Amino acid sequence: MERCKSYQVRKKSAGSVSIGDEALVAISIRCRNLTRLKLRACRELTDAGMAAFAKNCKALKKLSCGSCTFGAKGMNAILDNCASLEDLSVKRLRGITDGATAEPIGPGLAAASLKTICLKELYNGQCFGPLIIGSKNLKTLKLFRCSGDWDKLLQVIADRVTGMVEVHLERLQVSDTGLVAISNCLNLEILHLVKTPECTDIGLVSIAERCRLLRKLHIDGWKAHRIGDDGLMAVAKYCLNLQELVLIGVNPTQISLELLASNCQNLERLALCGSDTVGDVEISCIAAKCVALKKLCIKSCPVSDHGLEALANGCPNLVKVKVKKCRAVTYECADLLRMKRGSLAVNLDSGEPEHQDASASDGGVQENGGEFHSVPNQMPLPSIAPRSTGRSTSFKSRLGLWNGKSFAACTFRGWLSGNSSSRG
């Protein structure tokens, strides 16, 4: 047991008893060299158990916990004792739900070594602010469905943590103010903006102008019509290293697509989903201009056989084409394309019930290995007036975001204003 490096604890069923403090401490005593720990639905764990574990397993490098009941004290014990922690993933941590009295989390000794922080579905995720701000070597920040207004915190984070190369923002209350802040990370290579309808072309232009090393850009515009040609043309102008572009619920036209195809000569993976403006002319443009393109996904776009036929003589490096829910594209056209380009894999799902693929839940953008993916565009769309600059009450209620007391308590505000070396 002493040689054990990784341990995973998952509650088996609703009726089963989860691991508790005593069991976790026993594991920590026998596996002091433990480097990876995953906890799932361990609702018997308390702050005391996590603190005891942290003192015994100081070599921990990766911690992933979901639906556990310990709180800020337990998390801070990990951060104070595990100075080699590199990867932290927290989902639905039930012990930090009280926004009014939440104890700030971090920075701790682990802040110096942390490279990846992922926060998911946290009511009071902003209490991790001190940890994120203190993680000077942070490379990847992922924020999924965490409540509260994140613009102010992102401004502080981007001002102090400038080396980030990957940022994911999903179902988050963030606007162009947050994007402008993120543009301070000049080495940014990967950006995912998923269902953040207060982000507009203005924010994307700021990212493009300053983050010129961008390689992967995923945008799910949620059909809010706030990101379009202006933002994409800025990406085409400044982000010449772009290799992967995923657009869901965004309406690019031939103008921006042609500029992207002409300027981004390394573009290898392109997905266009739920775009009302992507038709035969746009696909023909891609076929003629995207010489490096290897994978193309088209879903729920007004494309017909004529547009798909253009791929027969275009995109010389193309190896895979996925067409889903484009009812004007026929199976005869797909067969003809396969015949003309024998090495090209063509996957056609017209959207008719008899042709539905059981694996269609990937939103039409999933590729093996998880390298080329985005989330399904199946959520109800928000009712938002185009280009509105004010915060919409209906937007906040639809996304389940609360901003009254969740900007992380008075103690966190005090930490930001002066006491940056301790949690207070």
Side-chain angles (χ1 to χ4, degrees):
M1 290 288 287
E2 185 65 29
R3 301 172 68 180
C4 180
K5 296 292 185 181
S6 178
Y7 208 93
Q8 177 173 326
V9 182
R10 182 189 297 269
K11 188 174 180 179
K12 296 297 183 183
S13 65
S16 63
V17 178
S18 175
I19 188 174
D21 290 347
E22 185 176 350
L24 185 63
V25 172
I27 292 169
S28 70
I29 292 173
R30 298 294 300 274
C31 303
R32 292 182 181 270
N33 292 325
L34 198 69
T35 58
R36 297 183 298 276
L37 176 66
K38 179 182 285 188
L39 302 171
R40 288 292 180 272
C42 297
R43 298 177 184 176
E44 304 297 322
L45 286 180
T46 69
D47 289 331
M50 293 300 294
F53 169 85
K55 290 177 181 178
N56 292 330
C57 295
K58 296 186 177 183
L60 195 68
K61 291 186 177 181
K62 183 174 182 178
L63 172 64
S64 175
C65 55
S67 300
C68 295
T69 52
F70 63 89
K73 288 183 172 60
M75 187 60 65
N76 278 323
I78 294 288
L79 299 173
D80 288 337
N81 288 277
C82 303
S84 299
L85 193 66
E86 296 179 354
D87 190 323
L88 176 65
S89 179
V90 183
K91 180 178 181 180
R92 291 196 298 268
L93 189 59
R94 299 172 184 272
I96 59 167
T97 56
D98 192 343
T101 59
E103 176 184 343
I105 294 176
L109 295 177
S113 58
L114 268 171
K115 294 180 174 61
T116 299
I117 296 177
C118 178
L119 306 178
K120 293 183 178 182
E121 299 176 21
L122 296 177
Y123 172 77
N124 198 32
Q126 292 176 339
C127 65
F128 282 84
L131 174 63
I132 302 172
I133 294 167
S135 301
K136 304 298 184 184
N137 296 312
L138 191 67
K139 299 300 181 185
T140 300
L141 177 63
K142 299 180 179 181
L143 303 172
F144 300 91
R145 301 178 295 282
C146 293
S147 64
D149 189 332
W150 281 83
D151 279 341
K152 293 180 181 178
L153 186 52
L154 284 173
Q155 286 178 310
V156 181
I157 291 171
D159 183 57
R160 304 190 191 182
V161 187
T162 58
M164 288 190 293
V165 298
E166 183 172 358
V167 174
H168 292 230
L169 307 176
E170 178 179 327
R171 292 288 297 271
L172 211 66
Q173 188 177 332
V174 60
S175 71
D176 290 335
T177 301
L179 291 187
V180 171
I182 292 171
S183 71
N184 193 45
C185 302
L186 303 182
N187 294 320
L188 191 68
E189 296 181 12
I190 302 172
L191 176 63
H192 287 213
L193 291 176
V194 178
K195 295 180 173 69
T196 56
E198 291 194 68
C199 295
T200 75
D201 282 327
I202 295 173
L204 185 57
V205 168
S206 180
I207 292 284
E209 288 179 345
R210 305 196 67 204
C211 305
R212 302 193 179 193
L213 300 180
L214 204 63
R215 294 186 297 107
K216 296 183 181 181
L217 177 62
H218 288 214
I219 301 175
D220 185 341
W222 218 5
K223 288 189 178 293
H225 306 301
R226 295 190 169 191
I227 292 179
D229 276 345
D230 290 345
L232 294 175
M233 285 191 292
V235 171
K237 182 178 179 180
Y238 297 108
C239 304
L240 305 184
N241 293 320
L242 195 67
Q243 298 175 0
E244 179 173 307
L245 178 62
V246 175
L247 300 177
I248 301 174
V250 177
N251 287 333
T253 69
Q254 182 183 0
I255 298 172
S256 58
L257 289 176
E258 186 170 9
L259 196 59
L260 283 162
S262 300
N263 291 0
C264 302
Q265 293 294 308
N266 296 321
L267 188 63
E268 295 182 351
R269 298 175 294 276
L270 175 63
L272 302 166
C273 306
S275 299
D276 298 331
T277 55
V278 175
D280 293 337
V281 172
E282 287 70 28
I283 298 303
S284 298
C285 172
I286 290 168
K289 300 282 187 177
C290 291
V291 294
L293 197 65
K294 293 182 178 179
K295 295 182 180 180
L296 174 64
C297 174
I298 310 166
K299 179 183 177 183
S300 300
C301 295
V303 177
S304 72
D305 286 351
H306 180 70
L308 203 63
E309 287 169 359
L311 297 174
N313 299 313
C315 301
N317 291 297
L318 198 63
V319 297
K320 186 171 185 179
V321 176
K322 241 181 180 180
V323 182
K324 303 187 71 170
K325 299 183 180 179
C326 298
R327 300 194 175 187
V329 177
T330 67
Y331 286 91
E332 289 76 14
C333 177
D335 291 338
L336 182 62
L337 188 58
R338 292 188 191 98
M339 184 177 66
K340 288 186 175 180
R341 299 186 61 164
S343 61
L344 180 62
V346 181
N347 186 334
L348 174 61
D349 176 1
S350 68
E352 299 294 339
E354 62 268 24
H355 298 300
Q356 285 285 352
D357 186 350
S359 63
S361 61
D362 62 5
V365 203
Q366 181 76 39
E367 292 292 340
N368 292 336
E371 183 182 5
F372 185 34
H373 66 280
S374 188
V375 294
N377 191 21
Q378 298 174 345
M379 302 298 294
L381 303 179
S383 177
I384 300 177
R387 301 293 182 185
S388 171
T389 57
R391 301 281 188 182
S392 167
T393 302
S394 63
F395 159 69
K396 295 169 187 174
S397 62
R398 288 171 193 272
L399 269 66
L401 304 177
W402 311 267
N403 65 353
K405 59 182 180 179
S406 62
F407 190 54
C410 296
T411 50
F412 177 42
R413 295 192 189 97
W415 187 92
L416 283 179
S417 61
N419 187 7
S420 60
S421 60
S422 65
R423 290 186 299 274

